[in-house]
Structures are given as structure tokens and as C-alpha cells.
Amino acid sequence: MTETMKLFYTPGVCSLAPHIALREAGATFELARVDLRSKKTADGDDFARLNPKGYVPALLLSDGTLLTETAVLLNYIADTWPEAKLAPPRGNLVRVRFDEWLQFIATELHKGFAPFTLMPNVSEESKRWAAQRLAGRVTLLAEALADRPFLHGDAFTILDAYAYFALRTYRHLLRVDLPGTLGSYLERLSARPAVRAALTAEGIH
């Protein structure tokens, strides 16, 4: 049991998205840093024992329930703090379309980084193929954003929290400019107090 929620994170990786969302929601939570190589927390606890998947993010609820997977955590945060309006209400096609984009970021962008971050001995030809595929997916995101301030319209949502991690990582890994209005969009997200607070807490500059 824990008195407050605890977010297990590693600086700069996908756990940044729910970290931002928790701050946007005004949630009370603790941070627990995880070394993904040793599978140990900063306090020396065995993270792999708590989460056999061995990766972050993981969110330990106050009743001892552990949630994993970035998109799941984001949806949980949005639904638990509806007053923050981080996602449209459930039960209609608007939310289905919203979740469609959330899964697009998870599967087509986030998982597309694997050849550059997780997979050993990847050939340069495979990396070029992966880079071209990612570029196409990023272009789709740019077209969806167009001239809107946020992916779902006029207000920040969990889509933007996940997109912030994905686009920041994409630009860093491939050393490329973002197409369309994504560059200014990323700068706009970077200026949000919740984003700045999350980066500061994780020691990211």
C-alpha cells in the first residue's frame, strides 16, 4: 500500500508523457526513478519484481494496483481527473477517434523508435527504411495538426503529452526538422508550466 500514487520513470523516455499528464491534471504523486539496465529504483528496490515487464512507465495506485503501458496510463489519468479535460468524455465516436490517434502515436511513432534505441546490430539500410517510415507517420501528424494549437483542437490533452515525447525523441534521434507547424507546436508545448516542471523534475535540459 502507498499513501499516494507513484510514477516509475526514467528520464526522457516515454514515461515523460504520463508525468506531464499527471501535472496537467493537478494530481498528487511521487516519482521513483528507475535504472532500466539494472532494473533498480533510485532507492535500490527491485523494479523487475514489481513490474515483470521491466520497463517504464508504471503507475502504482494508492490501493497497490500497478498500471503499465503509456497509452493506458494516459487514459487512466484523463478519466480519473475529468475536470482537467485531458480527453473527451467516453461513450461517443469523438472519444473513439481520439483514442485512434492515441494508439497511432503509441504504435506508429513510439514503437517506430526501436531500431534506433532498443534493437542491437541494426543495419544502416534498416535504419534508413525505419527513418523513412517514421517520416511518413510524422507527416500524417503534421497534417492532422494543421493550424490548430493542439491535436484535438483548442485545448491541451493527453494526445499532446504523448506527442511531445514522440516528436522530441524523433527530432533528437534523426536530427531532422519537423514538418509543417510541428516545430512551433513543440515549442508551444515546451513552454507549458506542466511540461517545464516535468523536465525539471527529471533533470532534462
Side-chain angles (χ1 to χ4, degrees):
M1 298 287 289
T2 180
E3 293 183 0
T4 61
M5 292 184 302
K6 183 179 291 187
L7 177 67
F8 292 88
Y9 80 101
T10 298
V13 304
C14 55
S15 49
L16 179 61
H19 186 177
I20 291 170
L22 284 167
R23 292 183 181 275
E24 290 280 352
T28 300
F29 66 98
E30 299 174 359
L31 288 171
R33 182 168 176 161
V34 177
D35 184 320
L36 293 177
R37 289 192 178 89
S38 67
K39 308 301 181 187
K40 298 288 186 182
T41 70
D43 293 334
D45 294 332
D46 185 355
F47 178 66
R49 184 173 180 179
L50 175 69
N51 177 20
K53 292 177 179 177
Y55 54 74
V56 297
L59 186 64
L60 183 63
L61 306 185
S62 58
D63 65 356
T65 300
L66 186 75
L67 302 178
T68 62
E69 305 302 329
T70 305
V72 170
L73 267 60
L74 289 170
N75 266 324
Y76 173 81
I77 294 164
D79 293 337
T80 302
W81 288 271
E83 66 279 3
K85 298 182 179 179
L86 294 175
R90 290 196 176 276
N92 55 65
L93 193 58
V94 173
R95 182 58 182 262
V96 173
R97 290 299 191 192
F98 181 90
D99 285 344
E100 186 176 18
W101 277 109
L102 190 67
Q103 292 304 317
F104 174 83
I105 296 171
T107 60
E108 298 299 312
L109 290 179
H110 181 187
K111 293 304 179 185
F113 301 145
F116 306 96
T117 59
L118 297 175
M119 299 167 61
N121 304 317
V122 177
S123 69
E124 289 304 314
E125 181 179 358
S126 295
K127 286 185 178 180
R128 283 193 295 272
W129 177 87
Q132 290 174 354
R133 191 173 188 276
L134 277 170
R137 301 304 190 261
V138 170
T139 296
L140 287 174
L141 201 67
E143 292 171 351
L145 178 66
D147 294 324
R148 297 184 300 177
F150 302 103
L151 282 172
H152 191 62
D154 295 330
F156 181 96
T157 67
I158 55 174
L159 288 184
D160 304 298
Y162 209 170
Y164 179 77
F165 153 73
L167 293 174
R168 189 175 183 277
T169 302
Y170 173 76
R171 189 173 64 178
H172 173 73
L173 288 176
L174 277 74
R175 306 292 181 184
V176 294
D177 293 330
L178 296 172
T181 59
L182 288 180
S184 58
Y185 166 69
L186 195 63
E187 290 180 6
R188 200 158 55 248
L189 295 182
S190 297
R192 293 185 69 83
V195 174
R196 294 201 309 268
L199 293 176
T200 298
E202 295 192 13
I204 302 170
H205 303 290

